[in-house]
Amino acid sequence: METFSQTPPELGNQYTQDRLLRSYLARALPDDVSAGIEPQLMEMGELAGGPLYGFQKADRGNAPILTSWDAWGNRIDHVEHTPLWRAAEQLAAQRGLIAIPYERTHDEWSRVHQFALVYLFTPSTDVYSCPLAMTDGAARTLSVSGNRELMERALPHLTSRDPRQFWTSGQWMTESTGGSDVGLSETRAQQDADGRWRLYGRKWFTSAVNSQMALTLARPEGNPTGGKGLALFYLETHDAGGALNNLSVNRLKDKLGTRKVPTAELTLQGTLAIPVYGLSDGVKNISPMLNVTRTWNSVSAVSYMRRAIALARDYAGKRVAFGAPLAKKPLHVDTLAGMQAELDAAFHLTFFLVEMLGREDAGMLRDTEPDLWRLLTPIVKATTAKQCVAVVSEALECFGGAGYIEDTGLPMLLRDSQVFPIWEGTTNVLSLDALRAVAASAALPAFGKCVHDLVACARDPRLSSASHEAQHAFTDAQRWLEAATARGTESVEAGARRFALTLGRTLGLALLVRHAQWSLDLEGDARALAAAVRFARHGVDLIAADDGGGESGLLALG
């Protein structure tokens, strides 16, 4: 008797099969822009679901390798990427994944063009989005720095479509004294006898050791402690002869996930560097990089949600249990629908931020939009990262035991997803960042007006409850902040996470409502409506349960 073998899940063209992406682009983009970029999206979708996905599965067991010494006893600290990552670098350059927003062929829509491609590319390349994010962030930082020498030196490489000329960049901030609290940095900057700046210290966690350049923070001698005493420096990792620039790779980190990323611990031993802006305010001056990398984090998170759901949906049509395919089982269908609603909200939230970044690039933000963008960047990153981990975990459960087996490739999705709430600021750090944005500007009233305007688009009565939930959640968050502020700083800080995530989920719902009405009118499709109604039931108002104190008592219970 023939032994049963389960047919594994498969992927097709990830652009043509993505109803959410195609519907969004149809609504958001001008017709000429949409027609201009669609062939590129078709090609990337075919690669992502076909050859590149096959390459990813074949490369699953590989990891970067650090060779500290050559055969003759010379210290070389060479890191070799896996075959998939080498191919991803070539593909990223050729397809312009960094070049597109700097070429600005489509003006304010160039970021949507870029990130639609990134969204398709990322889940088939094992987080190659990490060095790309830092490269984009470095290009943005240098392009607004006014430092002509560095702009002319580095930008043509960072934005090149020629793989032979293309550079990636590192972002070296984390030290053992603190990750998010970069003001504790111990790296020193000293001028040598020739007036050149040299850096000394240990960078505890660097994720682009093979990049040709990096932006990093160091404290010039004599500067005060804290963030204002740091300066932003540019460095190239190798000298003209190919030797490392007075730095050593101590080890590669053994991580839970993102194992293709060669995250290293470095020692700087007189590394030559150039100040980017000046000799102070380094934390402030690196903020253009963080705005970009946090956007990449959000796009990567929704791309991983999409990949997990795509595999789970395909598998549901192939796995038979209790007499029928899972796709015919009401409970399983309901589970998938809940996951899809979270993805829809996260996607629209993320690409709303992408649109704002595109307008900021083009100098088109007006009135209170700069304040709103400053608030949304940490909120969107925090919200989508938490959604991603929850959705991908649920997706693995949809495969039963197969979701726990390494050679299916599925556990890697969850391990890699766990990085999104950690990199570029943890949820708590981002929540405090959001509070600072609210305190320093008119961001919260602008946010409230944005939510109101979005849900005002809804005319279908089936959207009324979702519209009401969005407006009610914002009002609750606003009232909570007023009450917590009256109670004192500790009360505000204690509720910062629930406040930030409430805002994120509120805006995600309002955006779903807006898109649902458009889809009903122009596409005759009720799936976006179903997503809005379902997402509204998942819990949007996370601040409502605040009782004004007592949280610390929970910790005393043991």
Side-chain angles (χ1 to χ4, degrees):
M1 186 175 67
E2 186 175 348
T3 302
F4 171 78
S5 293
Q6 175 62 49
T7 303
E10 296 175 333
L11 297 174
N13 186 306
Q14 291 301 281
Y15 173 67
T16 60
Q17 292 183 349
D18 194 332
R19 180 268 313 170
L20 175 60
L21 173 62
R22 289 184 291 105
S23 180
Y24 162 76
L25 294 174
R27 177 184 58 76
L29 293 181
D31 290 344
D32 61 328
V33 176
S34 183
I37 71 173
E38 184 165 61
Q40 298 171 53
L41 296 171
M42 288 282 289
E43 291 175 5
M44 185 64 81
E46 184 61 34
L47 278 170
L52 199 54
Y53 180 52
F55 195 168
Q56 179 186 37
K57 290 188 289 186
D59 198 60
R60 184 185 60 80
N62 295 326
I65 298 172
L66 169 62
T67 301
S68 299
W69 308 90
D70 71 9
W72 305 101
N74 300 302
R75 184 75 184 260
I76 57 172
D77 288 347
H78 174 73
V79 176
E80 184 73 17
H81 287 160
T82 74
L84 175 66
W85 261 46
R86 293 196 295 272
E89 181 177 24
Q90 300 272 317
L91 180 61
Q94 292 165 348
R95 302 296 169 129
L97 297 190
I98 303 301
I100 287 169
Y102 300 93
E103 295 167 344
R104 295 187 181 170
T105 301
H106 301 296
D107 299 320
E108 65 178 294
W109 300 108
S110 295
R111 285 290 182 180
V112 173
H113 177 194
Q114 173 198 29
F115 280 117
L117 287 169
V118 169
Y119 167 80
L120 296 169
F121 168 89
T122 293
S124 291
T125 52
D126 290 348
V127 203
Y128 193 73
S129 56
C130 172
L132 292 180
M134 293 184 288
T135 301
D136 193 356
R140 176 64 176 153
T141 302
L142 292 178
S143 68
V144 301
S145 71
N147 190 321
R148 302 306 309 178
E149 175 191 0
L150 296 182
M151 291 167 67
E152 292 171 4
R153 168 66 178 162
L155 282 176
H157 289 289
L158 297 173
T159 61
S160 177
R161 286 178 178 260
D162 182 351
R164 296 167 298 179
Q165 297 296 320
F166 179 60
W167 285 6
T168 57
S169 176
Q171 174 185 308
W172 299 354
M173 295 196 298
T174 304
E175 301 188 11
S176 55
T177 49
S180 299
D181 190 359
V182 295
L184 296 175
S185 175
E186 294 180 336
T187 300
R188 297 174 292 109
Q190 297 177 354
Q191 275 188 299
D192 63 18
D194 297 325
R196 298 175 300 178
W197 286 96
R198 294 183 177 273
L199 308 184
Y200 299 85
R202 182 174 62 167
K203 294 299 182 181
W204 185 247
F205 206 89
T206 65
S207 291
V209 66
N210 265 13
S211 293
Q212 290 83 355
M213 61 157 285
L215 296 182
T216 189
L217 297 173
R219 195 178 311 280
E221 281 194 315
N223 274 21
T225 59
K228 288 186 68 66
L230 294 171
L232 179 61
F233 285 88
Y234 164 96
L235 63 86
E236 294 180 12
T237 53
H238 293 79
D239 63 22
L244 284 171
N245 178 10
N246 298 308
L247 60 88
S248 58
V249 181
N250 302 335
R251 57 174 170 162
L252 297 182
K253 300 290 192 179
D254 186 8
K255 297 168 295 177
L256 169 70
T258 65
R259 294 177 178 176
K260 295 291 171 68
V261 183
T263 305
E265 178 187 319
L266 305 178
T267 299
L268 310 183
Q269 303 159 316
T271 303
L272 286 167
I274 301 171
V276 177
Y277 284 91
L279 298 179
S280 63
D281 295 313
V283 176
K284 173 185 175 182
N285 291 331
I286 207 169
S287 61
M289 170 173 266
L290 295 178
N291 289 332
V292 170
T293 55
R294 286 173 175 175
T295 304
W296 274 81
N297 199 96
S298 300
V299 173
S300 298
V302 295
S303 79
Y304 264 67
M305 294 168 72
R306 158 65 189 163
R307 173 57 54 87
I309 291 173
L311 290 169
R313 288 178 63 148
D314 185 76
Y315 186 72
K318 295 174 175 176
R319 177 63 174 172
V320 174
F322 304 105
L326 294 176
K328 301 294 185 181
K329 298 291 185 180
L331 180 55
H332 195 79
V333 171
D334 184 76
T335 301
L336 291 172
M339 294 158 58
Q340 185 67 46
E342 290 289 328
L343 170 58
D344 278 36
F347 179 95
H348 286 295
L349 183 61
T350 293
F351 275 85
F352 186 75
L353 180 64
V354 167
E355 290 176 34
M356 293 196 77
L357 177 58
R359 291 200 297 279
E360 204 278 338
D361 283 348
M364 296 176 64
L365 292 180
R366 296 180 179 177
D367 302 325
T368 58
E369 279 197 318
D371 295 336
L372 183 60
W373 179 55
R374 167 72 179 83
L375 172 62
L376 288 184
T377 301
I379 282 176
V380 173
K381 189 274 184 186
T383 305
T384 56
K386 301 303 281 187
Q387 288 175 294
C388 179
V389 174
V391 166
V392 175
S393 177
E394 190 74 74
L396 261 63
E397 192 174 343
C398 290
F399 290 91
Y404 208 66
I405 303 301
E406 283 292 346
D407 58 7
T408 65
L410 296 167
M412 180 181 66
L413 286 172
L414 183 57
R415 285 201 308 271
D416 287 354
S417 294
Q418 187 60 63
V419 83
F420 299 130
I422 295 174
W423 280 359
E424 308 305 334
T426 63
T427 307
N428 284 355
V429 167
L430 293 165
S431 299
L432 295 174
D433 195 7
L435 284 179
R436 285 190 290 271
V438 167
S441 69
L444 197 59
F447 185 97
K449 183 179 184 304
C450 179
V451 170
H452 177 270
D453 291 348
L454 288 167
V455 299
C457 298
R459 299 181 309 280
D460 192 291
R462 292 171 291 179
L463 288 168
S464 60
S465 62
S467 300
H468 173 76
E469 178 63 26
Q471 294 187 91
H472 177 75
F474 171 73
T475 300
D476 254 14
Q478 192 174 37
R479 288 174 178 168
W480 170 85
L481 184 60
E482 293 171 357
T485 301
R487 293 196 297 266
T489 303
E490 289 188 2
S491 183
V492 175
E493 182 174 323
R497 173 191 283 242
R498 285 177 287 117
F499 174 74
L501 294 178
T502 294
L503 292 186
R505 294 182 70 81
T506 295
L507 183 56
L509 177 57
L511 290 162
L512 269 179
V513 168
R514 190 262 303 267
H515 188 76
Q517 186 63 63
W518 175 88
S519 186
L520 288 169
D521 293 343
L522 276 297
E523 297 178 317
D525 191 334
R527 284 176 290 185
L529 180 149
V533 172
R534 179 64 180 259
F535 184 74
R537 298 202 306 262
H538 282 186
V540 175
D541 185 353
L542 308 183
I543 203 71
D546 182 27
D547 63 2
E551 293 86 352
S552 60
L554 291 172
L555 301 180
L557 296 177

